[in-house]
Amino acid sequence: MRTVLMVAEKPSLAQSIAKILSRGNMSSRKGLNGACSVHEYTGSFIGQSAHFKMTSVCGHVMTLDFIGKYNSWDKVDPAELFSKAPTEKKEANPKLTMVKFLQVEGRGCDCIVLWLDCDKEGENICFEVLDAVLPVMNKPRSSERTVYRAKFSSITDTDICNAMNHLGEPNRNEALSVDARQELDLRIGCAFTRFQTKYFQGKYGNLDSSLISFGPCQTPTLGFCVERHDKIQSFKPETYWVLQAKVNPEKESSLTLDWDRVRVFDREIAQMFLNITKMSKEAKVESVSKKEKVKQRPLALNTVEMLRVASAALGMGPQHAMQIAERLYTQGYISYPRTETTHYPENFDLKGCLRQQANNPYWAETVKALLSDGINRPRKGHDAGDHPPITPMRAATEAELGGDGWRLYEYITRHFIATVSTDCKYLQTTISFSIGPECFTCIGKVVTSPGFTEIMPWHSIPLEESLPHCEKGDLFPVSEIKLLEKQTSPPDYLTEAELITLMEKHGIGTDASIPVHINNICQRNYVTVESGRRLKPTNLGIVLVHGYYKIDAELVLPTIRSAVEKQLNLIALGKANYHQVLEHTLDIFKRKFHYFVDSIAGMDELMEVSFSPLAATGKPLSRCGKCHRFMKYIQAKPSRLHCSHCDDTYSLPQNGTIKLYKELRCPLDDFELVLWSSGSRGKSYPLCPYCYNHPPFRDMKKGMGCNECTHPTCQHSLSMLGIGQCVECENGVLVLDSTSGPKWKMACNKCNVIVHFFENAHKVRVSPETCDLCDAALVDVDFNKAKSPLPGDETQHSGCVFCDPVFQDLVELKHAAMRHPMHRGGQGKRQGRGRGKGRRPGGRLNPKKPKDKMAALAAYFV
């Protein structure tokens, strides 16, 4: 019996697909990485019985990055990133060990069926999976085919079974176009970002952004927002005048007429028209015309339109809306939400999808009427050749989906029903009047057939007062003629919906990446989201865009990125060479980069006007070890210390608070230590600003605090305060937080594990002796007599945190509460004890040889 491995893009999809194909008759188990499950069943595959193993990945298996040394901002010239710097594919999430998991499951399999999402990113992931799995699969006999690709657009029984019966092959060209986009964005984005971040953060203190990033798509997106801001700023309001007339067709009613000239900008001329018309007391009907007009039903729904409506009508940001749509898709409620197509294929089962909605109380009547009267064929839209438009695939209730999920599902369903409804028809009556020599008009609309507006009431024709019945030559008394003075108003800031429209029009990003680019400019503090989801550029965003315009407008205009997107699409279609497109585009941007670097003074002039230099920012905090003057602590992102006398800047750990640490000094360089803390429930550690930026010993890296310092005798170092190996991560060491009393704790210097112990102890000290069982350092604890939990009213005890039975109930493991959303820690309680867990860091017993000019000083301490 052959073994067939099947791989989907997400664990939930794998489960749904396996359930459909096995008709619910499958066994499931967890994979070795804990994130992905494996569902097994037997069935037939291409006419033969087979054993199926259905599993999944979690998005991309691999990610593109520069090789090790080119990831250092300090040692590499950003210009080298365009061509010299080699790239490599690394595991996207090393903790998931996805490659190992796929190889374990793929070993001994005969065939592989790829159920990745059917878009360009999905094709790219197909080849990432194949690279991992093919080497361990059984070797095929001669020309036997082993790789199959399933094409599907929704998680329904029909679609999945149909995909299984019509398996194709993965598309290498589409995968290459994604590779090309990844490499271009990495090389161009990193080069510009590193240069401008280092340049401007080294000069200005209140930029309030940890990264001054540049992106080939992100920057033109910001450009649209700033362009609108500039129009608002340069707008000069003009006064104009409008002539308004009111007539009384009947005694009780009055009708307001619109002036055919619309408006005039000269007060005296407007006054002249008013005087002429005031001479006539009656308005004469010149013509009455009636026309039947049609308001067309909407085109079928694609991604960009869904994101527009979600932002404008539902108040959801594009990224949030996309996440909800993906969840609805994986749960089988809607079809694939990433599509550029607005045209249903001829064989699409529109009636089947409509029948699913026949029992929902919100639209049951409309649906039943459509099914009995016959549906209308949807309008012919654009067929991009990817997926059918976004369509509801099964019925749902508000209780099932809840909140935003239901609101988006409801809109998608109403939109779908509207596409198969009739157009809205209304009768438009236009009456033309003359008052003296001036002409006025009045328009009225009466709905004759509401059509699709029944299901989309927000598109309905507004109710108006009906116009009087009249004929040519009728005269009506004029009740009022007046001159209205008005002013032209500036445009408003761009809404997300308008920005999405501009990005689509100019070819910036894809339907999948548009939300990411908008989210990026918000996260970088380039724009803020105001009420009505309007995007208002910040000072930093405005200055950057104006700077790009001043140096090289093509860096911010959409033209060059639009041309690159066309080239990438040609790669996907097999009409352009991957290497040639890559080489040509990188060459253009390399030239632009060199010109940008040479002309940076132009942008700097604009920065000077808007931002304060480092020396004038921040407040004095700790003393510099070189000049012994106070350095200033700059709180604005990224937080750092700056010595204006030496003109040196020292980076600090982010997302926490920094304060002076008891005015203690580093024994190596005489800099005053500072204490970083992530809050009372988090961890804290002291650090030397100089050592943090210039590691003093070989085994230290940039960005390490005193809790990772291997100095053999410093009282704050890992060697003196390290207790034992972390109970969760491989390389971490649990280090005593000597500032935490009376709620004492030790924290891992690598991950966010915290061990609380010896609450209310008077003193906790790390002993030079080690545990015989687990090699951890022993701890000397001194309690106050009144609060001592030790047996026999003892106040002092020395023992191992992990092995000593006296300490057993005094130790509790937690996860640090981090300030940053990226660090989500649980609050799980469990005993942090266990034999063999406490390997003592070897720094104290066997210090490595220190490097550079501090070697002599450090050796003295040894």
Side-chain angles (χ1 to χ4, degrees):
M1 188 187 286
R2 296 165 88 191
T3 305
V4 180
L5 178 69
M6 306 207 289
V7 184
E9 195 159 316
K10 294 183 185 76
S12 55
L13 277 177
Q15 186 180 2
S16 304
I17 294 167
K19 203 177 268 185
I20 292 168
L21 293 175
S22 67
R23 295 187 176 85
N25 188 18
M26 61 180 188
S27 64
S28 301
R29 59 181 168 85
K30 271 279 180 210
L32 69 85
N33 65 359
C36 304
S37 296
V38 183
H39 312 283
E40 300 185 62
Y41 65 96
T42 50
S44 71
F45 182 70
I46 314 180
Q48 297 178 3
S49 63
H51 176 71
F52 290 95
K53 289 166 79 173
M54 179 84 199
T55 187
S56 74
V57 291
C58 296
H60 272 284
V61 180
M62 309 301 281
T63 185
L64 191 72
D65 202 356
F66 296 113
I67 63 164
K69 73 169 190 176
Y70 286 95
N71 282 319
S72 167
W73 284 41
D74 298 321
K75 294 173 185 172
V76 178
D77 177 1
E80 290 182 31
L81 302 180
F82 284 99
S83 50
K84 273 189 187 176
T87 57
E88 62 179 346
K89 290 259 187 180
K90 297 177 180 174
E91 280 206 50
N93 189 342
K95 286 183 182 172
L96 290 178
T97 59
M98 195 60 74
V99 172
K100 186 180 176 187
F101 164 69
L102 288 171
Q103 288 177 340
V104 166
E105 297 304 334
R107 187 165 277 111
C109 290
D110 301 291
C111 298
I112 180 166
V113 181
L114 300 157
W115 289 86
L116 285 307
D117 289 353
C118 299
D119 57 8
K120 288 172 190 165
E121 295 289 335
E123 295 302 322
N124 190 261
I125 301 171
C126 280
F127 286 93
E128 292 175 356
V129 171
L130 291 177
D131 288 343
V133 171
L134 285 181
V136 298
M137 282 173 57
N138 292 341
K139 295 287 174 276
R141 299 187 208 100
S142 61
S143 60
E144 192 182 17
R145 186 175 158 201
T146 57
V147 178
Y148 298 87
R149 173 77 163 110
K151 296 275 184 181
F152 58 100
S153 294
S154 61
I155 314 300
T156 58
D157 295 20
T158 317
D159 216 11
I160 296 300
C161 294
N162 194 36
M164 191 65 181
N165 295 331
H166 300 88
L167 295 172
E169 289 184 14
N171 187 324
R172 169 71 72 180
N173 289 328
E174 286 192 0
L176 279 175
S177 76
V178 173
D179 281 339
R181 179 182 279 110
Q182 284 178 351
E183 188 161 342
L184 288 174
D185 289 353
L186 176 74
R187 290 185 183 278
I188 297 165
C190 283
F192 278 92
T193 299
R194 287 187 192 182
F195 171 72
Q196 59 190 30
T197 301
K198 284 186 75 179
Y199 186 87
F200 292 122
Q201 283 184 351
K203 291 190 75 171
Y204 302 102
N206 55 344
L207 297 174
D208 203 22
S209 180
S210 47
L211 206 65
I212 316 295
S213 65
F214 174 93
C217 289
Q218 174 194 305
T219 305
T221 304
L222 174 61
F224 291 130
C225 301
V226 175
E227 185 185 6
R228 176 61 66 88
H229 167 84
D230 291 344
K231 280 181 182 169
I232 295 168
Q233 295 302 307
S234 61
F235 184 84
K236 288 190 174 69
E238 280 188 88
T239 307
Y240 64 91
W241 289 266
V242 176
L243 208 54
Q244 191 186 73
K246 283 186 181 177
V247 295
N248 292 87
E250 292 157 14
K251 280 185 181 176
E252 297 301 315
S253 64
S254 78
L255 208 59
T256 303
L257 311 183
D258 297 320
W259 191 22
D260 281 10
R261 290 184 195 273
V262 183
R263 61 188 179 182
V264 291
F265 287 89
D266 189 308
R267 169 77 202 238
E268 288 180 5
I269 291 174
Q271 191 64 47
M272 178 197 75
F273 284 128
L274 177 68
N275 296 340
I276 292 171
T277 49
K278 271 195 166 176
M279 291 163 73
S280 300
K281 299 292 179 201
E282 288 182 316
K284 183 183 178 185
V285 176
E286 294 294 337
S287 67
V288 179
S289 68
K290 293 191 178 189
K291 257 187 192 172
E292 191 171 79
K293 293 211 165 187
V294 171
K295 186 172 186 177
Q296 282 192 309
R297 60 195 183 280
L299 282 166
L301 187 65
N302 67 1
T303 307
V304 170
E305 182 60 23
M306 178 189 75
L307 295 177
R308 261 199 293 256
V309 172
S311 175
L314 306 179
M316 294 182 204
Q319 184 123 11
H320 178 53
M322 204 66 223
Q323 286 166 349
I324 291 169
E326 283 177 355
R327 194 183 79 226
L328 291 173
Y329 161 67
T330 54
Q331 292 171 341
Y333 290 107
I334 64 170
S335 62
Y336 192 60
R338 288 195 172 120
T339 176
E340 294 174 18
T341 296
T342 56
H343 177 73
Y344 281 106
E346 295 300 318
N347 60 352
F348 193 89
D349 185 11
L350 293 164
K351 276 190 177 172
C353 290
L354 201 56
R355 276 192 207 99
Q356 298 268 11
Q357 304 298 333
N359 296 320
N360 190 302
Y362 289 104
W363 44 73
E365 282 183 29
T366 310
V367 170
K368 283 171 184 169
L370 277 170
L371 289 168
S372 62
D373 299 346
I375 63 168
N376 222 0
R377 188 80 205 148
R379 283 168 60 196
K380 191 170 174 61
H382 167 65
D383 185 2
D386 49 0
H387 287 271
I390 304 167
T391 310
M393 299 314 290
R394 74 172 212 239
T397 61
E398 192 169 354
E400 267 176 78
L401 303 180
D404 288 347
W406 166 255
R407 288 165 65 224
L408 190 62
Y409 174 83
E410 182 188 10
Y411 172 73
I412 291 167
T413 307
R414 285 182 182 276
H415 191 109
F416 167 68
I417 298 167
T419 60
V420 293
S421 301
T422 55
D423 292 339
C424 168
K425 292 177 184 170
Y426 60 94
L427 190 68
Q428 181 170 301
T429 307
T430 307
I431 307 174
S432 295
F433 293 88
S434 64
I435 303 174
E438 288 304 293
C439 296
F440 294 82
T441 308
C442 188
I443 295 172
K445 295 169 186 169
V446 178
V447 175
T448 54
S449 167
F452 79 93
T453 59
E454 281 188 330
I455 195 73
M456 293 175 101
W458 56 92
H459 280 304
S460 57
I461 305 295
L463 287 168
E464 295 174 355
E465 283 185 44
S466 57
L467 295 183
H469 180 73
C470 57
E471 290 174 4
K472 186 179 176 180
D474 286 358
L475 297 172
F476 293 130
V478 177
S479 60
E480 181 185 32
I481 290 187
K482 60 182 177 181
L483 206 56
L484 300 177
E485 184 179 305
K486 296 186 177 184
Q487 275 199 328
T488 54
S489 56
D492 213 333
Y493 284 105
L494 281 180
T495 60
E496 281 173 336
E498 290 166 338
L499 180 58
I500 291 166
T501 306
L502 282 169
M503 291 173 76
E504 185 194 29
K505 179 183 169 186
H506 292 281
I508 299 298
T510 61
D511 51 3
S513 66
I514 282 173
V516 178
H517 302 313
I518 296 175
N519 189 53
N520 279 346
I521 61 172
C522 297
Q523 297 242 302
R524 298 283 183 263
N525 195 31
Y526 293 161
V527 298
T528 54
V529 182
E530 306 289 309
S531 63
R533 300 210 68 85
R534 293 192 179 275
L535 301 169
K536 185 179 180 182
T538 61
N539 230 352
L540 179 59
I542 294 162
V543 171
L544 278 175
V545 169
H546 288 176
Y548 293 133
Y549 271 119
K550 196 171 178 182
I551 296 170
D552 180 357
E554 283 191 333
L555 291 174
V556 77
L557 288 172
T559 45
I560 196 161
R561 182 60 192 193
S562 181
V564 171
E565 288 287 351
K566 283 175 186 161
Q567 291 294 313
L568 294 173
N569 285 333
L570 289 176
I571 294 174
L573 296 168
K575 294 179 181 176
N577 181 283
Y578 163 79
H579 295 290
Q580 286 176 349
V581 170
L582 208 58
E583 204 174 307
H584 176 67
T585 310
L586 286 173
D587 184 53
I588 289 171
F589 273 97
K590 188 177 182 180
R591 289 162 194 258
K592 287 184 174 296
F593 177 76
H594 284 300
Y595 183 71
F596 180 73
V597 171
D598 294 341
S599 315
I600 194 69
M603 190 185 272
D604 202 17
E605 286 168 11
L606 300 174
M607 285 278 189
E608 278 176 354
V609 176
S610 301
F611 300 103
S612 311
L614 275 174
T617 320
K619 55 183 183 184
L621 180 74
S622 67
R623 289 186 186 273
C624 168
K626 295 177 185 176
C627 65
H628 297 287
R629 287 176 168 83
F630 275 104
M631 297 190 290
K632 284 188 171 178
Y633 171 47
I634 295 157
Q635 263 183 301
K637 283 184 185 175
S639 56
R640 53 211 191 273
L641 285 167
H642 177 70
C643 176
S644 50
H645 184 263
C646 306
D647 197 21
D648 284 332
T649 305
Y650 301 97
S651 56
L652 296 168
Q654 302 299 305
N655 307 314
T657 55
I658 292 279
K659 57 185 180 185
L660 192 61
Y661 185 51
K662 305 177 185 173
E663 293 187 6
L664 296 168
R665 293 176 184 267
C666 174
L668 293 176
D669 49 45
D670 217 27
F671 273 72
E672 280 187 334
L673 302 182
V674 293
L675 183 75
W676 177 86
S677 169
S678 67
S680 57
R681 287 168 54 224
K683 60 190 214 180
S684 56
Y685 57 84
L687 63 111
C688 161
Y690 190 84
C691 296
Y692 188 82
N693 290 271
H694 307 95
F697 303 119
R698 272 198 202 97
D699 51 0
M700 285 178 69
K701 290 179 185 165
K702 189 175 176 181
M704 287 185 169
C706 296
N707 63 347
E708 292 183 80
C709 175
T710 51
H711 191 295
T713 58
C714 173
Q715 60 177 337
H716 317 291
S717 71
L718 168 68
S719 310
M720 298 300 278
L721 296 177
I723 292 175
Q725 183 191 322
C726 177
V727 292
E728 288 203 2
C729 70
E730 284 181 26
N731 305 318
V733 175
L734 292 166
V735 181
L736 173 67
D737 182 349
S738 51
T739 64
S740 58
K743 296 189 174 183
W744 296 93
K745 59 191 174 189
M746 56 179 174
C748 175
N749 58 9
K750 297 285 186 207
C751 68
N752 63 346
V753 162
I754 285 184
V755 177
H756 290 267
F757 52 13
F758 316 130
E759 192 168 343
N760 296 322
H762 175 59
K763 197 183 285 180
V764 176
R765 195 172 60 82
V766 181
S767 163
E769 295 168 27
T770 56
C771 171
D772 296 334
L773 290 171
C774 72
D775 256 6
L778 300 185
V779 178
D780 301 332
V781 188
D782 189 354
F783 280 97
N784 291 328
K785 194 159 193 178
K787 293 183 177 178
S788 176
L790 299 173
D793 287 337
E794 285 184 36
T795 57
Q796 292 181 331
H797 187 75
S798 183
C800 175
V801 172
F802 302 101
C803 310
D804 194 320
V806 175
F807 287 159
Q808 184 168 346
D809 297 324
L810 306 179
V811 179
E812 177 192 342
L813 180 141
K814 284 191 177 182
H815 288 85
M818 303 300 283
R819 289 189 163 196
H820 200 270
M822 281 169 64
H823 305 283
R824 286 195 200 85
Q827 276 297 310
K829 279 191 181 185
R830 56 177 240 230
Q831 295 300 319
R833 305 183 308 107
R835 292 173 194 254
K837 268 290 175 197
R839 295 274 162 234
R840 177 92 193 245
R844 177 183 283 207
L845 304 173
N846 185 19
K848 290 184 183 174
K849 258 188 161 177
K851 66 167 184 178
D852 67 34
K853 59 193 176 200
M854 297 186 190
L857 185 61
Y860 168 77
F861 281 98
V862 176

